[in-house]
Amino acid sequence: MTEDPFLRWNLTPVINASGTMTGIGASRVAPEVRASVAGILGEFVGIDELQARASSVIARATGAAAGCITTCAAAAMSQTVAACLTGTDIAKIEALPRVAGERRVLLSLGHMVNYGAPVDQAIRIAGAEVVPVGTAAACETWHLRAALEQGAVAAMYVVSHHTVRANELPLDVFVATCREFGVPVIVDMASEYDLRGPVALGAAAAIYSGHKFLQGITSGVVAGTSDLVRATYLQHMGIGRTMKAGKESVLGAMAALELWEARDHAAARATEETRVDSLMQDLADIPGLALARHADWTGNPITRVRIAVDPGAAGFNAWELAGRLGSRSPRIAVRDDLIERQELYLDPCNLTNSEAKTVAAAIRAEAARFRDRGDGCRIGWSDAKAAREAAAQAWRGDSHET
């Protein structure tokens, strides 16, 4: 029996030029994390004891009073909201999602986004009522104050490239205003590098993904006040039981956090910049492609290659190029959040130097194919979107292999 999972299970390998996307496995798990997890897999350990040790690691890395590990950041959102509804009352924990008393959770309308599932659903699962604050393109202090005056058990703030950044309330203002009313703020920082900022500003809890920038295995990291973390952990006696983290997730997150603390971030950034330089150079002369260095939307220390496609000069649309790259073997995944604007992005954080060269060569080859065959610009964005949705629906339905 082959040990190669791609051969054994007939899987298509992926070259990840898109970043830390959950749909393709988020990030490479660091070797040090894999070694730590391997050491616990064949053994037994008290999970409560392991989580207590994790709390110490989280506290040191984030500046929070305590912490715990969940299965993922989405689970952490549900469990921290649940904690605000129940505190440490076991009877209330067991009663969820039935809630007695206040259950309003405030969320800026511009933060009510879909990260693969709706943010508001992660809140509603706990039994809370989601209260949109402001409008999609503007959340002002008077919007927040008006909502707080009507009562709330918690407020959620999402830091993500998905949110509407224009005219959003800054995190410090949001937290400070909520604290005036005694309302705890939960900050979703799933893909963000800043481990200490939200807690330092007074957030009751900050949530991180253990398998994105931290390069651990699938997990969520909750850092916050002792009371809220204790109540969050106790949700494993209720709705959190369906989201419980195993020994491998807890230990993997601990190892990833310690590795992040010891990481030479300047050297890692320099390596990524070298890949960006290589991609820019290798793609510079392709007709119809305008290249630019693009700083991260939320301020993380990442530079990406922005490729703006001029369909008239290139002979193809951005979504056609992305589709061709995704049909290759190995499949090449690019960042396509803004592809309807004829833009795609190449993220260096999960590429090796050789993979960056492979990506550049593939883009050149596909661009040449479009020019030689003249079959580009035939698929409009609405048609491309419909095709993607149909393909996704077919995969999720009964047509996929069993």
Side-chain angles (χ1 to χ4, degrees):
M1 182 184 298
T2 177
E3 294 299 319
D4 187 332
F6 293 95
L7 293 176
R8 182 180 179 188
W9 302 109
N10 191 28
L11 299 171
T12 303
V14 178
I15 294 176
N16 181 8
S18 65
T20 57
M21 302 302 178
T22 301
I24 55 173
S27 284
R28 282 189 171 92
V29 177
E32 297 90 339
V33 175
R34 280 181 268 159
S36 292
V37 171
I40 200 73
L41 288 176
E43 306 297 335
F44 299 96
V45 65
I47 297 299
D48 291 343
E49 181 183 42
L50 185 59
Q51 284 274 17
R53 302 297 182 269
S55 180
S56 298
V57 174
I58 295 167
R60 187 180 67 240
T62 65
C68 65
I69 304 300
T70 64
T71 51
C72 63
M77 284 194 282
S78 298
Q79 289 179 236
T80 51
V81 167
C84 292
L85 294 170
T86 67
T88 58
D89 187 323
I90 305 301
K92 290 182 178 180
I93 289 171
E94 290 183 348
L96 292 181
R98 296 191 303 274
V99 180
E102 181 64 76
R103 64 189 193 95
R104 286 162 45 96
V105 175
L106 310 185
L107 177 67
S108 296
L109 187 57
H111 290 191
M112 197 175 290
V113 295
N114 189 306
Y115 56 88
V119 167
D120 60 299
Q121 184 180 54
I123 298 171
R124 288 186 281 110
I125 283 173
E129 174 193 355
V130 178
V131 178
V133 179
T135 64
C139 183
E140 306 291 354
T141 53
W142 59 83
H143 292 137
L144 181 58
R145 286 183 176 278
L148 288 164
E149 286 168 357
Q150 295 178 49
V153 71
M156 179 80 72
Y157 192 99
V158 179
V159 181
S160 168
H161 66 282
H162 291 295
T163 63
V164 180
R165 306 298 307 284
N167 297 314
E168 71 175 356
L169 275 179
L171 177 58
D172 58 343
V173 174
F174 189 92
V175 171
T177 304
C178 288
R179 292 188 72 182
E180 286 181 35
F181 289 79
V183 174
V185 176
I186 302 164
V187 185
D188 173 26
M189 296 280 287
S191 297
E192 306 306 306
Y193 282 40
D194 183 4
L195 285 178
R196 305 184 76 87
V199 169
L201 290 174
I207 294 166
Y208 300 90
S209 170
H211 56 286
K212 291 184 181 289
F213 69 92
L214 286 173
Q215 295 182 290
I217 66 173
T218 304
S219 58
V221 178
V222 178
T225 64
S226 296
D227 289 346
L228 186 55
V229 168
R230 179 180 294 276
T232 298
Y233 185 59
L234 285 175
Q235 299 306 315
H236 289 89
M237 300 177 70
I239 64 169
R241 188 69 177 179
T242 64
M243 316 169 191
K244 62 181 181 290
K247 60 190 177 185
E248 65 284 353
S249 294
V250 180
L251 194 72
M254 294 166 65
L257 284 165
E258 291 191 328
L259 186 62
W260 185 258
E261 288 181 286
R263 187 184 192 192
D264 186 338
H265 293 276
R269 179 75 189 273
T271 298
E272 291 181 3
E273 291 288 341
T274 298
R275 290 185 197 126
V276 170
D277 291 339
S278 175
L279 287 163
M280 294 281 288
Q281 181 177 346
D282 291 346
L283 299 172
D285 61 346
I286 300 177
L289 301 188
L291 308 179
R293 302 171 74 89
H294 183 270
D296 182 65
W297 290 275
T298 59
N300 289 315
I302 307 170
T303 301
R304 300 181 179 93
V305 178
R306 174 182 177 269
I307 302 177
V309 179
D310 177 352
F316 53 85
N317 293 298
W319 47 87
E320 292 177 297
L321 176 58
R324 289 272 185 89
L325 294 170
S327 297
R328 295 172 71 97
S329 184
R331 171 187 167 198
I332 296 175
V334 298
R335 196 178 188 101
D336 61 358
D337 305 68
L338 300 175
I339 205 158
E340 74 278 7
R341 289 172 23 181
Q342 298 287 4
E343 297 176 11
L344 55 86
Y345 295 78
L346 305 178
D347 190 308
C349 71
N350 271 305
L351 285 173
T352 64
N353 292 339
S354 63
E355 286 174 340
K357 290 292 184 182
T358 299
V359 169
I363 291 174
R364 296 191 72 88
E366 296 300 343
R369 282 180 61 200
F370 279 118
R371 289 195 303 273
D372 294 343
R373 294 176 56 180
D375 60 353
C377 296
R378 294 184 180 182
I379 303 175
W381 170 240
S382 58
D383 292 332
K385 186 172 179 61
R388 290 171 66 189
E389 290 173 351
Q393 185 62 40
W395 187 88
R396 295 185 180 104
D398 295 332
S399 63
H400 63 277
E401 293 182 6
T402 58

